[in-house]
């Protein structure tokens, strides 16, 4: 992903991502943030300003350019997230990632603390979520606030090479790469939420479902990012418009 | 059902059907489609265009005229559903059907994977759903993406002579016939969702309900399509209007 | 309750009652109706017209003046409810009642078919619902469509002297009397729904709650109709206004 | 907290607090109230006027200045809450408190009557709720209407030195102090609701979660009132604006 000279469209896209997460129920009130790698040691990240109103009401100006220590001329009077090390340490540890997303879906909280497995029992209902269950989702087991670099490194280590992670008692982190990195990170967060929601509902019903047979898993093709990520993104942008939450 | 020369009203009706399904919670984001038989070997079907925003935002132009192989002058730059064989093979196998509807209600997903029976334990609460439970709902057991004709034929075979089918780990398919075929297929999808929702809720509560006695089932008359299907359709069109989702 | 010469305000009140029930989730789509005694052997009742859109969209014109057999000059082209005998037989059997209300709350359906007791375990959380639990709620055990007078009489008999009734596998009926009879019948339906919702939720959690001690029940005074019924009515009219569903 | 000469901004803030509680689902229809200490033996408190429409529709004029016996020139034709003793006795017993808030969250009702423990099993998901679970939440065990001073004193005694209290079978009371006392009491009510909602959901799933280890609790800092309370308050004011419920 090459960063454009004019950062305005990227600020806008990050602001939309924050609104989408909140509008889809993956973020309670003021907690959660999204970043984009902006160059060696710098990122654009959703910060908190003096009139902070929560993720659902993010505006372009909330997205600021800072270095990995959270410093930068662009910042004041905004403040970087307490958990900036989530972004800094993952952008450091994962050169393949251009975007880091962190939020708190209630479904994932429940699946995490109650140790509910995220098993592949459905298929064409939601192929990206099904494939995530097949691949497995790593768990970072500590419910701590990631406000120090060493905690961010612990998280990155737990995440390994995966693009998604359950943070038990806390939330999730997802990554995105390439031209549609923001859309991809959002789409992965939505898929993980779908997987967790179905898994929690199934746990309430006895968790009797059989794992899909290999022959059926083979009939669940990756439909590609332009199908999965861009269509899902446009859908959620349209939902923002319907809710009176558009930024245009 | 005789197809009108002017296809515009039918495109509109299919677009409304898609919006109704999504607004009633039977379709997550971009997955689901509705078709109408348009002549020997052709159908009108909800396709995906370059500005696809999901079922809730379907517009008339998303409904295109194609043959059973998914070809046609009317198509470009839209793309037929990956699962066109659901429509083609059912329209082939079921000459009695004029409409094929496919979507992904979360309630049916849960009932399917957790093997929750859809038993007739309620009556006048919802007569069409009660009668569906009495008649029984066939299950297609594979969670695969129906993107090849042989998979479509498997589905048609599992469905037998029924107008509705649970696709385990995937979704549902319903059919409609006659003058109000679209309304009927939508009404059947809504009834199946009601039946599945109540069954899932009951499973959480222990599934202790007794099946209705025959004497009570006899007092649940078929109130006819103009009562069931048209009133339900107008209700959901009015809900679209209230939600700011009308197409007029 | 003395019927005013001008029936317009009463038609309006019945229409609002129908909208309130639907907006509060006590009526799925097109099922449910409310009647007011209009004289010896006549009633005003919510009917279905040629443009029926469901309870949430009831208009004044949907409320028609008919006799207990469902005949009247005022009717055509509206049709009386299939279940008019609910209204006719209760107005006959219960001279103390001025209003009959029938609808299908999902919570009561679940409590009914799964035999979940409606026990008095809460107090000041909702005093009218708590007192309803203390008094007990009769159950009509058949899920039949009440479209014949003898079925209406069965219902009236099951109801006895109570102002509310659970119709197992079907819905509820509530009565109202006096100057604020419509508001009272609506308030009772809402209280029964609250009682059923809490009872169903408690059943999911093990139903471990102890019944309230008599000393605490004695501290739950009847706050009177003007407190309970009129405040609740105005609240729900305001919710209609907020939802864009006002009739003014 | 020094009371301003002009009470208008404080009336507005109390009205907003009532709307926020209702809009966030912590108050059913007409039940709940908020007060602010206004001087020795007096308070501003949310009252019921002749056009009462419920907490969600509170207006500035609903907030009246009365003494601890509920008398005052400012009152008529408003009426003080039946449960004024909640406010009077807590303002008497707790000189550290400037605000008393009372409402009826459904989640807390369920947790209370079903004896569901509010244990610290999550962390950074919601730090104020996690810390509330660590500190413990006192329970007032009676479901009575607090309409006499001795019942209010019972409640104050059960509450001890805590800023929050579960009233079993009834609702909650929270306190606030200092410059942002109203925001703090609202934020505490929202945190208690989050804690109860997660605990109830966990109880449905088996309540298998382990309590957080001390090492992880130590990594959950108090982020301070300006972070917790003011950001949360602004978020909920923005939600009122989005819902068409602003008072400006």
């Amino acid at each position: 992903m090459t960063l454009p000279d004019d950062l305005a469209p990227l600020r806008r896209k990050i602001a939309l991502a924050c609104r989408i997460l909140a509008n889809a129920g993956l973020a309670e009130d003021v907690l959660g943030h999204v970043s984009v790698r902006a160059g060696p040691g710098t990122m654009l990240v959703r910060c908190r300003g003096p009139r902070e109103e929560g993720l659902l009401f993010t505006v372009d100006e909330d997205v600021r350019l800072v270095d990995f220590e959270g410093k930068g001329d662009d910042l004041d009077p905004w403040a970087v997230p307490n958990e900036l090390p989530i972004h800094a340490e993952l952008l450091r540890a994962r050169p393949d990632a251009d975007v880091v997303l962190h939020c708190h879906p209630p479904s994932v909280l429940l699946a995490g603390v109650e140790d509910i497995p995220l098993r592949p029992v459905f298929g064409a209902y939601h192929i990206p979520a099904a494939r995530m269950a097949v691949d497995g989702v790593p768990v970072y087991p500590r419910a701590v606030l990631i406000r120090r670099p060493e905690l961010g490194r612990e998280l990155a280590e737990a995440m390994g090479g995966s693009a998604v992670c359950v943070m038990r008692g806390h939330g999730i982190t997802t990554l995105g790469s390439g031209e549609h990195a923001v859309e991809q990170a959002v789409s992965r967060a939505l898929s993980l939420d779908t997987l967790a929601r179905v898994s929690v509902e199934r746990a309430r019903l006895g968790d009797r479902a059989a794992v899909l047979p290999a022959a059926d898993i083979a009939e669940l093709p990756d439909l590609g990012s332009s199908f999965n990520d861009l269509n899902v993104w446009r859908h959620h942008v349209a939902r923002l418009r319907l809710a009176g939450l558009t930024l245009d």
Side-chain angles (χ1 to χ4, degrees), chain A:
Chain A
M1 181 169 177
T2 315
L3 202 74
D5 285 346
D6 176 6
L7 297 178
L10 207 44
R11 290 184 200 260
R12 166 60 53 90
K13 195 175 271 189
I14 292 174
L16 284 174
C18 291
R19 288 184 172 225
I20 285 171
L21 294 172
N23 196 41
L26 275 67
E28 288 206 45
D29 48 64
V30 296
L31 304 173
H33 15 82
V34 175
S35 66
V36 174
R37 189 191 297 277
T42 63
M43 65 178 110
L44 277 171
V45 63
R46 202 280 192 197
C47 295
R48 282 194 193 90
R51 288 197 299 259
E52 171 66 30
E53 295 187 323
L55 250 71
L56 190 60
F57 303 96
T58 304
V59 291
D60 299 4
E61 291 70 31
D62 292 332
V63 181
R64 317 303 298 182
L65 185 66
V66 301
D67 64 24
F68 283 10
E69 280 68 50
K71 307 277 185 257
D73 295 344
D74 187 44
L75 195 59
D76 186 71
W78 274 262
V80 295
N82 290 300
E83 299 196 305
L84 193 75
I86 292 177
H87 302 272
E89 297 311 317
L90 278 163
L91 290 174
R92 263 197 248 271
R94 294 289 296 270
D96 58 314
D98 298 304
V99 166
V100 180
L101 177 160
H102 171 64
C103 64
H104 295 185
S107 62
V108 179
L109 175 75
L110 289 173
V113 296
E114 293 296 316
D115 257 326
I116 294 167
L118 307 179
R119 295 194 296 121
V121 306
F122 60 83
Y125 176 73
H126 197 296
I127 292 180
R131 292 171 65 95
M132 207 175 263
V134 169
D135 293 343
V137 180
V139 176
Y140 173 66
R142 301 187 67 190
V144 299
L145 193 75
I146 311 284
R147 58 178 171 154
R148 288 184 284 113
E150 57 266 41
L151 296 173
R153 288 193 291 270
E154 268 187 17
L155 168 64
E157 198 171 327
M159 203 158 168
S162 178
V164 297
C165 185
V166 170
M167 304 159 82
R168 186 181 289 150
H170 182 172
I172 66 173
T173 296
T174 69
L175 307 178
S177 302
E179 191 187 355
H180 302 299
V182 175
E183 294 90 333
Q184 191 181 51
V186 167
S187 173
R188 283 171 172 163
L190 292 163
S191 294
L192 180 49
D193 179 57
T194 295
L195 176 58
R197 270 190 291 119
V198 172
S199 299
V200 166
E201 291 291 335
R202 289 199 315 97
R204 281 190 192 120
L205 291 163
D207 192 2
R208 297 176 294 198
V211 167
L212 288 189
D216 288 5
I217 291 177
E219 298 280 1
L220 301 173
D222 183 349
L223 298 171
S225 186
S226 85
F227 184 89
N228 286 336
D229 302 336
L230 298 190
N231 284 345
V232 165
W233 175 269
R234 276 194 302 265
H235 173 65
H236 284 278
V237 169
R239 281 201 178 267
L240 290 180
R241 188 181 69 222
L242 182 66
L245 285 164
T246 194
L247 277 166
D248 299 321

